[in-house]
Amino acid sequence: MTTLSEEDNSLEHWKEAWKQGRTRFHKDTVNELLIQYIGLLTNGRSGLKILVTLCGKSLDLKWLAEQGHDVTGLELSEIAAKSFYEENDIEYTVSPLENIKDGNLYRSKDGRIKICQCDCFAFSSSVCGQFDAIWDRYAFGAMKPECRNEYRDMLLSLMKPDAQCLMVTQQYDPTVMSGRSPFHTPYEVVQEYYGEKCNVEKIIEQDALLDIWKTIGHKWLTETLFHLAFKK
């Protein structure tokens, strides 16, 4: 059984991962599920205000902006935020985030792409308001179980009443890997945390067993896309 200490899952651990380049979770392409199911996220609307949680330097930010939306990323690492703009040749400014200690606001010159670099648990609607849509790829699944309630409350507080959320989590044999992010997050877990206030719909489950997972003993690993919206 693979285990990591409490410290290994701290915020400082994730900052250190970016410093050391241990970012195998980053994809050099736009997420295929996002492209395929963008209609579910936007509900056919244009010009939306979209939040991407724990965004890193994801190309999803740029792609969503190119579809005509105003995009805000939420990210802990300063290195990731700077890398996004510099690697994509996007002019940007940096200013302090009001009311958040050590937080910074990265903003593209045209204002279409912003990254709020801060402790995600300090982020609230008082910073950037609420959002029309939220794209959560592995963010909820990265949360330790004891942090899930706080993350859920933060996420739901950022959603407008008619907002749509697409969430991607991973599933595997939990006896193979314990105490390590990404956590085994099946439908039952998503329903447990979000089902009271949201309709939770399982959209698609697909194989995601990469060689890196095989090397630590995984024989199967899938990722599932969920659609969340407030109950009427």
Side-chain angles (χ1 to χ4, degrees):
M1 177 183 291
T2 303
T3 61
L4 291 182
S5 69
E6 179 84 0
E7 181 181 359
D8 285 331
N9 275 301
S10 68
L11 297 179
E12 289 303 317
H13 167 71
W14 291 111
K15 287 184 180 179
E16 197 63 27
W18 278 100
K19 287 180 182 178
Q20 298 179 8
R22 292 184 284 108
T23 56
R24 62 175 179 264
F25 48 82
H26 172 71
K27 294 184 65 174
D28 291 324
T29 58
V30 179
N31 187 273
E32 294 173 359
L33 291 175
L34 175 61
I35 295 174
Q36 185 175 356
Y37 293 98
I38 185 63
L40 270 179
L41 184 65
T42 64
N43 205 18
R45 298 174 294 171
S46 59
L48 298 187
K49 185 179 175 185
I50 298 179
L51 176 68
V52 181
T53 53
L54 299 190
C55 63
K57 58 179 182 178
S58 172
L59 292 177
D60 298 350
L61 297 165
K62 185 171 181 284
W63 185 81
L64 285 166
E66 290 171 347
Q67 310 312 303
H69 305 292
D70 290 321
V71 185
T72 298
L74 179 58
E75 173 54 41
L76 175 67
S77 168
E78 179 181 0
I79 291 174
K82 286 183 176 179
S83 296
F84 168 77
Y85 291 98
E86 293 172 1
E87 292 178 10
N88 290 289
D89 295 319
I90 298 173
E91 292 186 55
Y92 68 98
T93 60
V94 186
S95 58
L97 260 181
E98 294 185 12
N99 304 319
I100 296 186
K101 182 182 177 182
D102 300 324
N104 292 298
L105 175 63
Y106 291 75
R107 185 193 298 265
S108 61
K109 188 176 180 180
D110 64 5
R112 299 296 299 275
I113 306 176
K114 297 184 287 291
I115 294 179
C116 295
Q117 179 255 315
C118 62
D119 177 352
C120 68
F121 294 121
F123 192 73
S124 70
S125 58
S126 66
V127 180
C128 293
Q130 291 184 307
F131 295 86
D132 300 299
I134 296 180
W135 169 237
D136 178 321
R137 176 186 173 265
Y138 298 167
F140 177 62
M143 296 294 141
K144 293 179 292 183
E146 57 265 38
C147 295
R148 287 172 177 167
N149 281 328
E150 189 175 3
Y151 179 85
R152 174 205 58 206
D153 293 345
M154 181 271 296
L155 191 79
L156 295 180
S157 73
L158 296 171
M159 292 172 61
K160 293 181 180 179
D162 61 347
Q164 312 295 312
C165 175
L166 288 184
M167 177 179 290
V168 183
T169 68
Q170 292 177 301
Q171 301 80 42
Y172 52 80
D173 180 352
T175 65
V176 175
M177 188 167 73
S178 177
R180 178 178 180 177
S181 175
F183 292 91
H184 172 60
T185 316
Y187 169 82
E188 291 76 15
V189 171
V190 179
Q191 176 67 27
E192 175 187 353
Y193 283 89
Y194 293 91
E196 180 180 351
K197 294 186 177 180
C198 293
N199 292 313
V200 178
E201 181 184 4
K202 181 178 177 179
I203 303 301
I204 187 173
E205 182 175 357
Q206 61 187 22
D207 178 67
L209 183 61
L210 304 176
D211 289 340
I212 186 67
W213 298 121
K214 294 178 182 177
T215 61
I216 60 174
H218 285 292
K219 290 184 169 45
W220 66 272
L221 188 146
T222 60
E223 63 177 10
T224 300
L225 176 70
F226 298 98
H227 173 249
L228 284 66
F230 284 123
K231 293 179 178 178
K232 302 300 184 182

